[in-house]
Amino acid sequence: MNLSDRKKQILRTIVEYYINTAEPVGSKALSGELGLSSATIRNEMAELTSMGLLEQPHTSAGRIPTPLGYRVYVNELMNSHRLSISETEEINKTMKVKMEQLDKVLSDASRLVSDLTSYPTYALAETSAPVTIRRFDFISVDQRTLIAVAMLSNNTVKNKLMNLTRPIDENFIQKLGAVFNANFTNLPETEMDATLIASIERATGDIYGIVASIAGFAIHVLSETVTKKAILTGTSHILEHPEYRDWQKAQKLMNYLSDDGNVIRLPEPDDNSDVKILIGPENVAEELKDSSVVVAKYDLGDGVKGLLGVVGPIRMDYAKVAANLSYIAQGMKAIAEGKETHLPVLGEKNEE
Amino acid sequence: MNLSDRKKQILRTIVEYYINTAEPVGSKALSGELGLSSATIRNEMAELTSMGLLEQPHTSAGRIPTPLGYRVYVNELMNSHRLSISETEEINKTMKVKMEQLDKVLSDASRLVSDLTSYPTYALAETSAPVTIRRFDFISVDQRTLIAVAMLSNNTVKNKLMNLTRPIDENFIQKLGAVFNANFTNLPETEMDATLIASIERATGDIYGIVASIAGFAIHVLSETVTKKAILTGTSHILEHPEYRDWQKAQKLMNYLSDDGNVIRLPEPDDNSDVKILIGPENVAEELKDSSVVVAKYDLGDGVKGLLGVVGPIRMDYAKVAANLSYIAQGMKAIAEGKETHLPVLGEKNEE
DNA sequence: CTTAGCACTCAGGGCTTTCGAGTGCTAAGC
DNA sequence: GCTTAGCACTCGAAAGCCCTGAGTGCTAAG
């Protein structure tokens, strides 16, 4: 998109003005800001309108950006928002709380973003590398109770308590361990089939019916780790934005988001960028055509990756949201590792 | 509250009419239903109004129940809603899906209720009996990695993977197990103090700094099990109800509910009843003064108890909500035990 | 005690008017 | 040739107004 510098400046000013006020921007308002007469600006605006970057809600109103206008803004004009000292300090302070499990990391990060941006925020996690069981251990609690512990290739540990119908003997437990570790480890879920399980039953001489339970546990564990996890926070924020004052619109969006499946299917940033921005109609889902999505990816190591995303009106403060998202996505790894977070404090004080 | 039979009937009819339509009820509408002239009904309504059971939104409108009116209705007039065959069948069908963890039981039950009632629904779980650690096990994964497994008195098992700075030797692991099981089991969290931990460090001759980590893990585990868990589903339903068309009201309520702490502090049914109903101003929280809460309690055994609650407008179908809640609360135990749920199919087909 | 009749009230919907922000166009100025 | 002042025009939003009709309380007759 080839625009004169002045057109660029006008477009940028309009987008930013509109992001803040949610009111169509008229030529007079800009003339003060840019040192040009309103007439001149009207001429420029007319051209931007015919180029499809601006539109008028009705004849006698100011201009608002079209989705294409936002796209040009985001691609070419947006100053990357520099987090102010107070912003980074707030983030760091909140992050410092040491977090323990993945669940908590996700929900805390998501809450943090949604508090900072006033938009609903989702966090997704998935373990990308195919997980296998690296090792089994069996611990007898008492004569009729056994704990099966599975250690996974991604360094997480799962366990299950099993109740037996008759007393079990210690030798058998040893044998269970030996056989399972020899034959049932490092397998993808698909190879844990009935034949294999039957052969293990024979090898151990299982008379408790426990082998089948353990195999079931193993399969369950693997299937569970593949599942993506979604967390959603701050949906009620959308009610603050005038574009969702119509309760049906708000509800449509909230319903869409409250189904984890939908959230999981949202797109992710390309390999070479860390934030992706989808503006209004660029979204594939019908329910999101009137909204925008900003999404960042993070990597916690150990094969755990995920997305952190924000959903809001098309009139969204893309610069600020993108800055916050990528800063926090970046910090999540430190958090997950339980380190005291110590992200660099960025930027100087922003324009305000 | 002493009312003539006719007054009772009129009050009941008004409440039920208003629950369905959300429109003030006039004397004419009732005269058809009750076989009395509108003038007579007006006289009765005037009296009910002066008794504080009904009110008029404005002079020329019909009557709506006051919170006190609802209270009388709930206490004395409400037919307990009999779930229709199709209703119970739907519930049973949905419940039959076998659920695995507490988390899932809660969120499924909560979703089920919110789908059935179209109100936001919360589910709380808490383990009431103080939990202790019954037993520790330590499994070495490799030279520098150790899994600590804690088995709790409520038959759940927790574990944590620990990384060591230097290779560990098998004898030391044995010793760890012996010492921890002898000195650190069956203790409340409060007794796991620094003195005790120091003495264990001495007894094991810990040179890895691992004792402190294990103790930390144990304390964390215990503190976590005491924590109440809250799940919230279907908040967007409130937008469907005309009393929350004003976005600020909707947001006030949603915000209040989205803070787990608030939800946890909601009241619970008295010992002798299984459902509690709080009508509008009867709620202590300012944010709930315009809403009603219906809450049922359940008991999953193993010391896990909880609440299942619905929040909605004061004009709520108390009978139906209470019936659904208590039916499902009753069924949760079966679900949690992984049984095929087989609740009795209740009632005959309802009035409609 | 019930009911028909009647005058009265008042919120809500529809219609009109007014107001003003903003526009495009034209003509004058630098 | 670009910029700007001026002007007529457009049209949504807000305000005012009227009308309608549902619902009321009261009274008097059955």
Side-chain angles (χ1 to χ4, degrees):
Chain A
M1 188 70 57
N2 242 339
L3 297 172
S4 71
D5 279 356
R6 195 167 69 182
K7 282 206 180 56
K8 283 185 184 171
Q9 199 188 0
I10 290 176
L11 177 58
R12 175 174 35 246
T13 316
I14 290 176
V15 170
E16 286 169 0
Y17 193 103
Y18 183 62
I19 282 176
N20 288 325
T21 62
E23 306 267 303
V25 187
S27 52
K28 250 187 223 153
L30 293 190
S31 100
E33 203 138 332
L34 300 179
L36 288 171
S37 81
S38 60
T40 311
I41 293 173
R42 277 203 292 284
N43 287 333
E44 295 283 37
M45 293 203 299
E47 288 184 53
L48 287 169
T49 304
S50 70
M51 296 168 77
L53 302 180
L54 296 178
E55 64 184 339
Q56 290 180 278
H58 48 266
T59 356
S60 77
R63 303 298 210 285
I64 63 175
T66 61
L68 183 59
Y70 283 111
R71 174 46 68 197
V72 171
Y73 170 74
V74 165
N75 286 354
E76 305 181 25
L77 308 177
M78 185 168 86
N79 294 324
S80 70
H81 177 89
R82 312 195 65 192
L83 297 176
S84 69
I85 294 183
S86 59
E87 278 175 316
T88 44
E89 271 173 359
E90 170 164 3
I91 295 176
N92 288 346
K93 202 175 75 195
T94 315
M95 278 192 166
K96 235 168 224 156
V97 182
K98 202 176 147 198
M99 308 188 217
E100 314 275 339
Q101 319 103 318
L102 182 60
D103 261 23
K104 197 137 182 357
V105 175
L106 286 189
S107 79
D108 284 3
S110 160
R111 180 164 308 276
L112 179 55
V113 174
S114 103
D115 285 350
L116 287 169
T117 61
S118 312
Y119 298 115
T121 305
Y122 62 91
L124 292 182
E126 84 180 295
T127 50
S128 55
V131 176
T132 56
I133 294 179
R134 206 152 77 189
R135 164 157 172 188
F136 286 93
D137 277 280
F138 302 103
I139 306 171
S140 74
V141 178
D142 58 39
Q143 291 262 303
R144 290 167 180 279
T145 320
L146 186 75
I147 300 172
V149 179
M151 171 158 176
L152 309 185
S153 56
N154 64 358
N155 276 349
T156 57
V157 180
K158 301 281 178 176
N159 59 56
K160 179 161 182 167
L161 194 80
M162 313 204 151
N163 292 309
L164 303 173
T165 49
R166 57 165 106 173
I168 198 165
D169 106 68
E170 193 58 43
N171 287 333
F172 180 71
I173 295 180
Q174 300 262 335
K175 204 191 280 177
L176 268 183
V179 176
F180 264 96
N181 277 307
N183 301 294
F184 218 64
T185 48
N186 303 316
L187 294 180
E189 192 188 338
T190 48
E191 291 183 27
M192 297 179 168
D193 56 13
T195 349
L196 180 59
I197 296 172
S199 81
I200 293 180
E201 267 170 348
R202 257 175 284 119
T204 53
D206 177 23
I207 52 170
Y208 308 90
I210 189 82
V211 165
S213 308
I214 296 170
F217 161 61
I219 290 170
H220 171 68
V221 159
L222 292 189
S223 69
E224 195 180 37
T225 52
V226 176
T227 309
K228 299 183 180 187
K229 177 143 193 102
I231 280 185
L232 181 65
T233 320
T235 42
S236 64
H237 277 303
I238 67 169
L239 296 172
E240 287 160 18
H241 301 284
E243 26 279 277
Y244 300 102
R245 286 291 150 77
D246 174 2
W247 67 276
Q248 300 197 11
K249 283 192 187 149
Q251 211 198 10
K252 192 173 92 178
L253 180 59
M254 285 174 118
N255 267 341
Y256 183 78
L257 292 178
S258 65
D259 179 345
D260 288 355
N262 290 330
V263 174
I264 286 173
R265 267 179 260 112
L266 289 172
E268 54 190 290
D270 311 318
D271 286 345
N272 47 12
S273 62
D274 63 323
V275 176
K276 178 163 195 134
I277 298 180
L278 286 150
I279 300 169
E282 296 171 8
N283 285 290
V284 281
E286 182 50 43
E287 290 86 346
L288 295 177
K289 295 275 186 206
D290 299 327
S291 304
S292 287
V293 175
V294 182
V295 53
K297 63 188 170 198
Y298 62 83
D299 184 346
L300 300 183
D302 287 337
V304 181
K305 291 183 181 182
L307 301 175
L308 199 55
V310 162
V311 180
I314 298 182
R315 175 190 63 79
M316 188 193 267
D317 192 341
Y318 296 100
K320 181 176 166 191
V321 169
N324 275 293
L325 272 186
S326 66
Y327 187 70
I328 289 167
Q330 201 181 316
M332 282 179 70
K333 183 161 187 180
I335 300 168
E337 287 167 354
K339 286 184 195 150
E340 280 272 303
T341 315
H342 201 72
L343 287 171
V345 172
L346 295 176
E348 277 107 52
K349 186 124 185 58
N350 249 45
E351 65 272 290
E352 76 89 60
Chain B
M1 188 72 55
N2 243 338
L3 298 172
S4 72
D5 280 355
R6 195 168 68 182
K7 281 207 181 55
K8 283 184 185 171
Q9 199 187 1
I10 289 175
L11 178 58
R12 176 174 35 246
T13 316
I14 290 176
V15 171
E16 285 168 1
Y17 193 102
Y18 182 62
I19 283 176
N20 289 323
T21 62
E23 306 268 304
V25 187
S27 54
K28 249 187 221 155
L30 292 189
S31 101
E33 204 137 333
L34 301 178
L36 289 170
S37 80
S38 59
T40 312
I41 292 175
R42 278 203 291 283
N43 289 331
E44 295 283 37
M45 292 202 299
E47 287 183 53
L48 286 169
T49 305
S50 71
M51 296 168 77
L53 302 181
L54 297 178
E55 62 183 341
Q56 291 180 277
H58 49 264
T59 358
S60 76
R63 303 299 211 284
I64 64 175
T66 62
L68 183 60
Y70 283 111
R71 174 48 65 199
V72 172
Y73 170 75
V74 165
N75 286 354
E76 304 180 27
L77 308 177
M78 184 168 85
N79 293 323
S80 71
H81 176 88
R82 312 196 64 194
L83 296 176
S84 68
I85 294 182
S86 58
E87 279 174 317
T88 45
E89 272 172 356
E90 171 166 0
I91 294 176
N92 287 346
K93 203 176 74 194
T94 314
M95 278 192 165
K96 236 168 226 159
V97 182
K98 201 177 148 197
M99 307 186 219
E100 314 274 341
Q101 317 103 315
L102 182 60
D103 260 23
K104 197 139 182 359
V105 174
L106 287 189
S107 79
D108 283 5
S110 158
R111 181 165 305 276
L112 179 55
V113 175
S114 104
D115 285 351
L116 286 169
T117 60
S118 311
Y119 297 115
T121 305
Y122 63 90
L124 291 182
E126 80 179 298
T127 49
S128 54
V131 177
T132 56
I133 293 179
R134 205 152 77 191
R135 164 157 172 189
F136 286 93
D137 278 282
F138 302 103
I139 305 172
S140 74
V141 178
D142 58 37
Q143 292 260 301
R144 288 169 182 278
T145 320
L146 186 75
I147 301 172
V149 180
M151 175 161 171
L152 309 185
S153 57
N154 64 358
N155 275 350
T156 57
V157 180
K158 300 281 178 176
N159 59 57
K160 180 161 183 166
L161 192 82
M162 314 204 149
N163 292 308
L164 303 174
T165 47
R166 56 166 107 174
I168 198 166
D169 107 70
E170 194 58 44
N171 288 332
F172 179 70
I173 295 180
Q174 301 260 337
K175 202 189 280 179
L176 269 183
V179 176
F180 265 97
N181 277 308
N183 302 294
F184 218 63
T185 48
N186 303 317
L187 295 180
E189 192 189 337
T190 46
E191 291 183 26
M192 296 179 169
D193 56 12
T195 349
L196 180 58
I197 295 172
S199 81
I200 292 181
E201 266 170 348
R202 258 176 282 119
T204 54
D206 176 23
I207 52 169
Y208 308 89
I210 190 78
V211 165
S213 307
I214 297 170
F217 160 63
I219 291 170
H220 172 68
V221 159
L222 292 188
S223 69
E224 194 180 39
T225 51
V226 176
T227 309
K228 299 184 179 186
K229 177 145 192 100
I231 281 186
L232 181 66
T233 321
T235 42
S236 64
H237 277 303
I238 67 169
L239 296 173
E240 286 159 21
H241 302 283
E243 26 279 277
Y244 299 103
R245 286 292 149 78
D246 174 3
W247 68 275
Q248 300 195 10
K249 284 191 187 150
Q251 210 198 12
K252 192 172 93 179
L253 180 58
M254 286 175 117
N255 265 342
Y256 184 77
L257 292 178
S258 65
D259 180 345
D260 288 356
N262 291 329
V263 174
I264 285 172
R265 265 179 261 114
L266 289 173
E268 54 191 288
D270 311 318
D271 286 344
N272 48 10
S273 62
D274 61 324
V275 176
K276 178 160 196 138
I277 298 180
L278 287 149
I279 299 170
E282 294 171 9
N283 285 290
V284 281
E286 182 50 44
E287 291 85 347
L288 295 177
K289 296 275 186 206
D290 298 326
S291 305
S292 287
V293 176
V294 182
V295 53
K297 63 188 169 197
Y298 62 82
D299 184 345
L300 300 184
D302 286 337
V304 181
K305 290 184 183 183
L307 302 175
L308 198 56
V310 163
V311 180
I314 298 181
R315 173 191 63 81
M316 188 195 267
D317 191 340
Y318 297 100
K320 181 176 164 191
V321 169
N324 274 293
L325 270 185
S326 67
Y327 187 69
I328 289 168
Q330 202 180 317
M332 282 179 71
K333 183 161 187 181
I335 300 170
E337 286 167 353
K339 283 181 197 155
E340 281 271 303
T341 317
H342 201 72
L343 287 170
V345 171
L346 294 176
E348 279 107 51
K349 184 128 185 59
N350 248 44
E351 67 273 291
E352 64 93 56

